[in-house]
Amino acid sequence: MIRPYVANIDALLIVVAPVPKPDWVCVEKLILNCHHQNITPAIVLNKIDRTTEAEPRAMLAPYEEEFSTFAVSAETGEGLEPLRDYIRGKLVCFAGQSAVGKSSLINALGKKTLEVGDLSKRIQRGKNTTRHVEIYDLSDGRAVDTCGFSVMDSVDIKYDELVYYYDEFLAYQSKCKYTNCTHTKEPNCAVKQAVADGLLNARRYERYVKLFDALKETWLKKY
Ligand SMILES: Nc1nc2c(ncn2[C@@H]2O[C@H](COP(=O)(O)OP(=O)(O)OP(=O)(O)O)[C@@H](O)[C@H]2O)c(=O)[nH]1
Ligand SMILES: [Mg+2]
Ligand SMILES: [Zn+2]
């Protein structure tokens, strides 16, 4: 993978947290890159000690049908056992925004002492504490710590090319009314129909629309 720059991993653990505010576009982009490279993604919601009881389920719901998901706290140790089991015998890579707790999770899982950083008080953003990629031995597996993404990282997929990342849409789009259908707001869209008929994964389609809108907005702002 190019970002993070890693190879030969068994799974990419995409870490999100209630703070900093999750960048779901970044998450989706990582999922698409995994798909592209044949890497299994999993979603880890960290800092559940900072959430209400209902929040973890709500945040992970769009993903749990397709991927392994974990709700954990590196701080309290809550929920770490299933994650430990998942990592057993694997080389996994932690990725995600700065300050979601990637290094903290590796510390919690392996009793290591990686440097962890604070969030800046004013803007609640990470400070990019981890500056290099390194593999750590956990008791039963290995984990790669990576540098966090910051909100400034631009999304480099052009919105009208996004659809090519969703291979399974291709089978339907020739039947859309408009040849340049984006499968978002157009009438008589065969992709939308396939979602309604249960032929395409609805959660994945919803994330496509969300990412499409976000990419379009950034694109229009930029040009
Ligand atoms: N409340 C709470 N805070 C946590 C938890 N895990 C990590 N933190 C805090 O979140 C902050 C960032 O943790 P790091 O482990 O440095 O985050 P990171 O993802 O490695 O960040 P970068 O290296 O910058 O990409 C630190 O202040 C941690 O103490 C958790 O489970 N609960
Ligand atoms: Mg770190
Ligand atoms: Zn369409």
Side-chain angles (χ1 to χ4, degrees), residues 85-192:
D85 289 343
Y86 182 82
I87 295 171
R88 185 159 296 132
K90 292 192 181 83
L91 172 61
V92 300
C93 174
F94 285 88
Q97 281 163 269
S98 179
V100 291
K102 299 177 293 298
S103 302
S104 302
L105 280 167
I106 295 176
N107 281 342
L109 291 162
K111 299 184 174 52
K112 287 285 188 324
T113 39
L114 305 192
E115 192 191 342
V116 304
D118 243 337
L119 267 76
S120 71
K121 292 238 156 37
R122 193 171 59 83
I123 44 177
Q124 291 290 294
R125 260 180 215 164
K127 292 175 173 170
N128 293 93
T129 308
T130 302
R131 293 284 180 182
H132 68 288
V133 175
E134 189 169 338
I135 303 179
Y136 297 93
D137 266 312
L138 306 179
S139 39
D140 275 322
R142 288 177 305 156
V144 188
D145 193 14
T146 65
C147 317
F149 290 79
S150 68
V151 277
M152 302 306 185
D153 289 321
S154 63
V155 178
D156 47 25
I157 305 168
K158 202 177 160 240
Y159 65 90
D160 55 4
E161 286 166 3
L162 177 66
V163 71
Y164 299 116
Y165 287 81
Y166 296 79
D167 309 340
E168 76 271 30
F169 292 5
L170 295 177
Y172 301 96
Q173 62 188 21
S174 62
K175 298 188 204 90
C176 292
K177 180 174 178 192
Y178 301 102
T179 45
N180 61 348
C181 186
T182 64
H183 323 303
T184 53
K185 297 187 176 78
E186 298 87 346
N188 299 328
C189 165
V191 170
K192 258 193 282 187

